[in-house]
Amino acid sequence: MTEPTARGDRPADTDRRGDDRRPSGGTRGDRPARAGGWGDRAGSDRRGGRPGRPVRPAVDLPRYAAYQAVAAVHRDDAYANLVLPAILREQGLAGRDAAFATELTYGTLRQLGTLDTILTAAAGRDVARIDPPVRDALRLGAYQLLHTRVPAHAAVSSTVDLVRTVGEGATGFANAVLREVAGQDVDAWTAKLAPTMAADPIGHLAVTYSHPQWIVRAFADALGGDLGEVTRLLIEDNERPPVHLCARPGLLDPAELADAVGGAPGAFSPYAVYLPGGAPGDLPALADGRAHVQDEGSQLVANALATAPLDGHDGRWLDLCAGPGGKAGLLGALAAQRGARLTAVEVSEHRARLVEQATRGLPVSVLHTDGRTVGADPKLPEGHFDRVLVDAPCTGLGSLRRRPESRWRRQPSDLPPLTRLQRELLSAALRAARPGGLVAYVTCSPHTVETHVTVTEAARRAGVPADFVDARTVLPSGMPGLGDGPTVQLWPHRHGTDAMFLALLRRT
């Protein structure tokens, strides 16, 4: 189940989730307990059944599924986009119930910082001191109260039911905290708890729009200190993003894909289609490899490398950090049309297998090795490749709307080892390129240390001469807000894409 993609309105049944009835998914009380199944507690059947029968949660299944996903994210460092679909399948949820569970999961994770600030005030204690299962249940309840049309009495009672299941003994506490939360709307709470814009603009934006302060500050630096634009970016980060599909060139016409899914062609990428809703994994075009899920920004930067003018030989392409394979899939399809071949390098064995799956049937050779071994690995000779992509590991600050839990996991201390790796990979890419060849350095982060600083330092230290190519010239004409060049930073609030950074260099 993908996250609902409609903007602005909640799923159609959001305001019906709290009446006294149980949804259809919550009536199967005799279902056996399984991993990821009914509840955290077992014992005799409260309805008088045989001793030892599992106890089902005293809450409807969509809410319980959302709780399981949020708890897995915080307890196990799981990723919501991976764990939630498995939970929905396990619970047998589909349609509106699955959409509601998805809305609760992603919404709670996005608003976590603001919710925790409000819950701390309502509880009279820091949320870190609340038992983790109860804390996650309270977060879900507060999200319903402050960000959905679920009636307050229903949000409170259903959350107390959930606490009774996962944290028995805390129901009175949960009831009191949630009734306190319900006493004010989210605007009143943030006006009360956030610093004023005049006194502390970064702190104000962080609390109001639920981002860590260091990330807000990084966005402000990348946007030249324009706090109005930072605000628009933070708002966009908290929206449900649409699913973008990539129709692989030579295999599927984008207009045909758009017609098949009832979607719309992308605004900028010639291969992009915006999916209106539903689960993309169910689409035949994805199952047979004619299309894949890929943010339009990722399509644009890969296509920029493939279409940039190049003199001389153009048959040897390299993707130096290929996992999980989205950009390699697009480059492989483009290479097939032009008689080229792509070498896709991935250091992780698991991700290398994903690249193999993503590029099956395309002129792509997958190498399970470290991209920094250029020159030492005979399969990665220096001065050999015509086009080289470095989609470098990064903080992922450019895709927070798709992976909301990342904003709470990443720390400034993550930057030094990442930027060192980025410089080493870009230096290897420049060595791998032939004289006259092109290198594209890409990150899904707008942090200036991962973008301008890294690319400038790597180019200076690489030991091979290279010049910047104006990346704006290989993006679609008419794209707004591309800056002064030669590098390009895409933005969710400007372009509707993830915040992808692109630098193009030509080895001289």
Side-chain angles (χ1 to χ4, degrees), residues 152-175:
H153 74 276
V156 172
S157 64
S158 62
T159 304
V160 170
D161 283 346
L162 179 58
V163 169
R164 184 174 292 112
T165 299
V166 303
E168 196 168 349
T171 54
F173 169 73
N175 183 69

Side-chain angles (χ1 to χ4, degrees), residues 8 12-13 28 43 88 96 100 105 111 144 175 199 209 218 259 321 330 344 398 423 481 490:
D13 64 326
R28 292 169 288 183
L88 296 178
R96 292 185 301 175
F100 183 61
T105 300
Q111 297 295 334
Q144 292 172 69
N175 183 69
Y209 299 107
D259 289 343
C321 313
L330 176 53
R423 291 193 301 269
L490 303 178

Side-chain angles (χ1 to χ4, degrees), residues 58-85:
V59 66
D60 65 81
L61 292 186
R63 286 185 171 93
Y64 190 64
Y67 164 79
Q68 286 182 298
V70 170
V73 166
H74 296 141
R75 181 186 64 237
D76 306 325
D77 284 340
Y79 288 94
N81 67 314
L82 299 180
V83 72
L84 180 60

Side-chain angles (χ1 to χ4, degrees), residues 373-453:
T373 60
V374 168
D377 188 326
K379 294 182 180 180
L380 293 175
E382 291 190 14
H384 177 74
F385 295 94
D386 305 302
R387 300 179 189 269
V388 183
L389 173 66
V390 184
D391 184 16
C394 65
T395 56
L397 301 187
S399 59
L400 297 183
R401 58 186 188 149
R402 300 191 187 279
R403 296 184 177 89
E405 63 272 26
S406 294
R407 71 182 75 175
W408 312 115
R409 286 184 181 164
R410 284 300 189 186
Q411 301 294 332
S413 58
D414 296 332
L415 284 164
L418 276 173
T419 54
R420 182 170 58 252
L421 175 60
Q422 291 160 4
R423 291 193 301 269
E424 291 170 353
L425 286 167
L426 181 50
S427 296
L430 289 167
R431 297 196 310 273
R434 66 164 173 85
L438 289 164
V439 174
Y441 173 77
V442 171
T443 63
C444 189
S445 171
H447 200 299
T448 54
V449 173
E450 298 186 271
T451 58
H452 297 285
V453 173

